[in-house]
Amino acid sequence: MNVFGVDIGGSGIKGAPVDLERGDLTQERHKVLTPHPATPDAVVDGVVEVVRHFDWSGPVGVTFPGVVTSGITRTAANVDKAWIDVDAAGLLNERLGGVGVTLLNDADAAGVAEMTFGAGRGRKGVVMLLTFGTGIGSALFIDGRLVPNTELGHLELHGHDAEKHASTKVKEDEDLSWHQWAHRVQKYLAHVEMLFSPELFIIGGGVSRKADRFVPLIEEIRAEIVPAELQNNAGIVGAAMASASK
């Protein structure tokens, strides 16, 4: 069964058809840059462009970098504040011609994909997926069940949102070495571990492709730390899964 998934991020909007038997993309994903300012209309234009690139006409699953409840976007940390309290699922569905749109938090989507097809498959207990990118997203699982919209990138760390201290964007903006950045990630993981005591951290986002550069540098964390197996496609796969489950 093929379903379409779109992943809205702070820097890019990417999507592709997904084979739900394999948990993998059926075609190379198409990506457009996230507009700035990332207003609802401008971002929806990007989603429409990605979907139409494949001449797709069926249901679509879409991720959003913030809290989503019943298709309504409740927060907007790394996109325009105009997203707050918007019926985003309805807006997307209208612009895509009524194909049927399912909207969910981006890290939750990535986490569901990893728990089904990737590094979290078959794992019980408390598992935490963290996506490092423009911000830090989180997906919390207890015995395989998702606790949605945790958004733990906004935990306070050193007096600021943690994602303002340890995201991949911060690494790039401050030109941090892998050692310097790993130290910041370690401090963040230690804080999350103190609060939730996970047995497994799955590190996702684009930086997961380079996990060998920084994961071995992270020390003093009791939980196992592994890179996401689906890497930066996890959000697309999870979005498609959410659409298929409706």
Side-chain angles (χ1 to χ4, degrees):
M1 179 180 179
N2 291 351
V3 184
F4 202 93
V6 179
D7 190 11
I8 298 173
S11 60
I13 302 168
K14 52 189 181 292
V18 175
D19 180 342
L20 293 181
E21 292 292 323
R22 298 184 298 114
D24 199 6
L25 312 188
T26 64
Q27 299 181 55
E28 184 176 352
R29 70 189 190 189
H30 182 64
K31 180 178 179 178
V32 300
L33 295 178
T34 301
H36 294 286
T39 60
D41 283 341
V43 171
V44 169
D45 284 344
V47 173
V48 170
E49 181 179 342
V50 168
V51 175
R52 289 184 177 164
H53 174 82
F54 295 90
D55 293 324
W56 185 265
S57 59
V60 177
V62 183
T63 79
F64 179 78
V67 172
V68 179
T69 57
S70 301
I72 297 172
T73 46
R74 301 297 188 183
T75 65
N78 292 305
V79 290
D80 195 88
K81 301 303 181 189
W83 279 99
I84 296 174
D85 293 334
V86 167
D87 179 7
L91 177 61
L92 284 158
N93 191 50
E94 179 184 348
R95 290 288 305 280
L96 288 169
V99 296
V101 171
T102 303
L103 190 73
L104 72 162
N105 174 267
D106 56 350
D108 287 350
V112 167
E114 282 294 326
M115 294 298 288
T116 306
F117 298 107
R121 185 172 42 206
R123 295 294 293 255
K124 298 297 184 183
V126 179
V127 176
M128 180 84 68
L129 173 128
L130 297 168
T131 59
F132 290 83
T134 304
I136 300 175
S138 63
L140 174 64
F141 295 86
I142 301 173
D143 291 333
R145 294 180 63 112
L146 173 68
V147 180
N149 292 311
T150 48
E151 287 288 276
L152 298 178
H154 302 298
L155 287 173
E156 185 175 316
L157 190 65
H158 303 307
H160 302 283
D161 264 16
E163 68 177 24
K164 303 299 184 186
H165 183 72
S167 68
T168 306
K169 184 177 188 297
V170 169
K171 180 188 183 303
E172 295 167 354
D173 289 349
E174 298 186 19
D175 196 24
L176 300 174
S177 69
W178 287 109
H179 278 83
Q180 290 171 321
W181 187 62
H183 180 70
R184 293 192 182 193
V185 172
Q186 176 180 316
K187 294 291 187 185
Y188 173 63
L189 294 183
H191 189 50
V192 174
E193 187 170 60
M194 176 193 69
L195 294 171
F196 295 96
S197 301
E199 297 167 29
L200 175 67
F201 280 119
I202 303 172
I203 305 299
V207 76
S208 61
R209 295 191 303 268
K210 301 176 181 177
D212 60 323
R213 304 289 297 276
F214 68 95
V215 169
L217 303 175
I218 298 173
E219 301 173 336
E220 300 177 7
I221 302 298
R222 292 182 177 179
E224 182 183 358
I225 306 171
V226 299
E229 292 180 10
L230 279 65
Q231 298 184 348
N232 213 19
N233 287 337
I236 297 174
V237 173
M241 292 173 66
S243 178
S245 69
K246 288 294 183 180

